Amino acid sequence: MAGFWGKRRRAEQEEQQAADTELSRRAEAAMVAVDERMRTAADEVGFAQAELGDAATKDLRDALTAVREHMQEAFSLHQLNHDHIPDTAEELRTRNARIVQLCEWADDVLDERTAALADRIDRVRRAPEVLARVQADANGLDNRVPAARDTIVRLAERYNESAMAKVSAGADEAAQLIAFARHSADISARRRASGQNEEANLALETAIEAVRRAGTVLDSVEDYELEALRAESTLTDVVADSRGDLVAARDLASTPAVAEAMKELETALAGLPAAGSKTDPFSSLSALRDANQHLDAAVAKARDRAARPLPTVDVVRHALDDADRQIAVARSVIAGHRGWIGADARTRLAEAERLRTGIDALIVPEDTREEALTLARRTAQLASEALQLAQRDIDSSRPQQQNTWGGGGRNQGGGMSDMMGGIIGGAILGGILGDIFD
């Protein structure tokens, strides 16, 4: 047996030594990698600072300073691992684990900060190429402006000012953005030629954004015509659907909510522009769709109410009277046997009394009458449960011993035993039982 345990211990020691060796290797490799990463980052900072300026590179420079400070701790720990003073395995393990932790943190910080500048640095390195692409894009967009103007003229013949307000200035706005992009690109080229790299990059980014916005504006003009045609087609379908809904809702017109929704939908239909006139299909579709949805909701509610009739005021009051009787009985029983009644019965009664307080205001309004009936029934149920639980507590607490007061066996009819049980229960509650038998 001793040989078995000795062999097992040697295996565990060998396993731990292998893990320690691997941890030491990881710590050294991580230190080398981070040190190289810091040198590369320093080169990147120098380039980015010259091209982008101090403000744009401040975060990366601060991060590099913090990483250098923390890595000094890692180098110091590594030095302790290799000095002339012997170390225990636990000390080496702790230091190497800390070195790995510091290196991982340094990697994460440098990853985050360099990624934030990566696109801008890449754009700076490719500035001539980016500038050429911006100018080419501006020329291509400029060629689209006449077509956009023609589209706007064509749309203005069909749609009113309300509809055209979204795109009427689109061609002029795009032309201004294109001119601004070209001007910014020229400034960028001149600033870079004079060595003012930070200003050159700012002007280049401005030109890129202006080209992007100009393209978006021209796309919106071209897409608007198609979207307007789709809105007109959808409007035709919604008009037909709305007229059908009005016919279907006639049998529920006596319901006030349905009648109001029908009137709203009829008004929306009457407000549609006459055939051949200029329209705004988007606003017309929106107004008609809202009115149609209101009617659908009113009809659905009315049909649901027809399938499940609203309770009358008398029905609710009968349910409330029943709840009041149940509460009164439960309250009386609990009050008369306070020494025996537990928490469950008292809780049910308290909840029933709480629900009862707000029911009267809900009886008359139709919108809340069903809720009033539900609450009244729930109140009665809680009061009934309180009474049942109170009776259970009374039955379980009533003495069942033989009748020693009359001298002859168990009192079969209750009588004296039940009476004394109630008296004793009250005496216990009042703390006077000891005085009676004193």
Side-chain angles (χ1 to χ4, degrees):
M1 182 64 68
F4 169 78
W5 289 112
K7 183 177 181 181
R8 180 175 180 180
R9 181 173 299 174
R10 285 194 300 274
E12 291 176 351
Q13 290 175 347
E14 291 174 358
E15 183 178 350
Q16 182 62 60
Q17 289 174 356
D20 289 343
T21 301
E22 174 60 21
L23 181 60
S24 177
R25 186 197 64 78
R26 283 181 56 202
E28 292 184 3
M31 288 180 58
V32 171
V34 172
D35 189 56
E36 287 297 323
R37 181 79 183 276
M38 288 192 300
R39 297 175 190 279
T40 302
D43 294 338
E44 292 287 346
V45 166
F47 174 80
Q49 192 171 3
E51 294 292 335
L52 302 176
D54 293 339
T57 58
K58 182 180 183 302
D59 289 344
L60 181 55
R61 287 185 285 113
D62 291 345
L64 190 57
T65 300
V67 167
R68 286 195 180 105
E69 293 176 357
H70 282 76
M71 287 305 295
Q72 285 300 322
E73 179 185 350
F75 287 122
S76 297
L77 292 173
H78 186 68
Q79 178 62 35
L80 289 175
N81 286 347
H82 294 84
D83 61 14
H84 64 282
I85 302 175
D87 300 305
T88 65
E90 181 63 27
E91 288 174 336
L92 292 172
R93 189 180 307 124
T94 301
R95 290 172 190 159
N96 286 327
R98 176 59 175 167
I99 290 171
V100 170
Q101 181 185 32
L102 289 168
C103 291
E104 290 177 347
W105 173 84
D107 259 336
D108 291 341
V109 171
L110 292 175
D111 282 343
E112 178 184 354
R113 299 301 171 84
T114 55
L117 282 178
D119 289 342
R120 298 182 66 180
I121 291 175
D122 181 64
R123 188 177 298 168
V124 168
R125 288 172 172 168
R126 298 185 299 107
E129 175 187 346
V130 174
L131 189 61
R133 188 172 69 247
V134 167
Q135 293 169 337
D137 290 343
N139 292 334
L141 292 173
D142 199 21
N143 293 332
R144 292 175 55 188
V145 171
R149 295 188 189 281
D150 293 340
T151 300
I152 291 172
V153 171
R154 186 168 59 252
L155 289 171
E157 295 175 353
R158 185 177 183 88
Y159 304 113
N160 60 26
E161 292 182 0
S162 172
M164 292 302 300
K166 304 176 181 67
V167 293
S168 59
D172 293 337
E173 182 180 351
Q176 291 173 0
L177 286 168
I178 293 169
F180 182 68
R182 285 172 171 163
H183 179 64
S184 299
D186 290 342
I187 292 176
S188 177
R190 292 198 300 270
R191 291 291 189 273
R192 192 169 300 281
S194 62
Q196 297 173 298
N197 293 331
E198 186 172 358
E199 292 84 350
N201 293 325
L202 178 60
L204 180 57
E205 290 179 0
T206 303
I208 292 172
E209 177 62 17
V211 166
R212 186 195 64 79
R213 288 182 56 191
T216 301
V217 171
L218 291 174
D219 289 342
S220 67
V221 172
E222 295 172 359
D223 294 342
Y224 189 81
E225 185 172 24
L226 179 59
E227 294 301 324
L229 292 173
R230 287 176 177 171
E232 287 187 82
S233 176
T234 303
L235 180 62
T236 301
D237 294 337
V238 174
V239 167
D241 181 62
S242 298
R243 288 170 177 163
D245 288 346
L246 286 171
V247 173
R250 286 176 182 171
D251 60 328
L252 298 171
S254 59
T255 304
V258 175
E260 182 179 354
M262 290 177 67
K263 182 178 180 180
E264 179 186 355
L265 183 55
E266 289 169 349
T267 301
L269 288 170
L272 293 176
S277 61
K278 294 183 178 181
T279 65
D280 182 351
F282 298 101
S283 61
S284 297
L285 179 60
S286 178
L288 189 60
R289 181 178 284 145
D290 289 345
N292 186 279
Q293 290 175 350
H294 290 166
L295 178 59
D296 288 343
V299 168
K301 185 176 181 180
R303 295 197 187 284
D304 179 67
R305 177 57 61 203
R308 189 166 47 86
L310 186 71
T312 64
V313 174
D314 290 339
V315 169
V316 179
R317 292 197 185 281
H318 288 325
L320 194 57
D321 289 342
D322 177 56
D324 288 338
R325 286 193 298 271
Q326 297 276 10
I327 290 176
V329 173
R331 187 186 293 135
S332 176
V333 170
I334 291 175
H337 301 78
R338 287 176 294 179
W340 293 346
I341 306 303
D344 291 344
R346 297 170 188 268
T347 300
R348 297 295 198 287
L349 178 59
E351 180 64 10
E353 291 173 336
R354 185 188 69 81
L355 291 179
R356 174 63 183 86
T357 57
I359 297 178
D360 289 319
L362 304 176
I363 296 177
V364 176
E366 291 186 357
D367 292 342
T368 58
R369 192 179 304 161
E370 192 169 12
E371 179 185 359
L373 179 61
T374 300
L375 289 175
R377 289 172 175 172
R378 176 59 179 162
T379 300
Q381 179 186 0
L382 287 169
S384 176
E385 291 176 2
L387 180 60
Q388 293 173 8
L389 291 169
Q391 188 61 50
R392 181 199 65 184
D393 293 340
I394 293 170
D395 292 342
S396 64
S397 301
R398 179 177 291 122
Q400 297 296 328
Q401 70 272 17
Q402 291 182 345
N403 182 8
T404 59
W405 301 91
R410 185 179 299 276
N411 184 352
Q412 299 296 328
M416 182 65 71
S417 175
D418 290 348
M419 180 185 71
M420 291 306 300
I423 293 174
I424 291 172
I428 291 173
L429 180 65
I432 62 174
L433 183 60
D435 293 338
I436 291 176
F437 292 102
D438 207 2

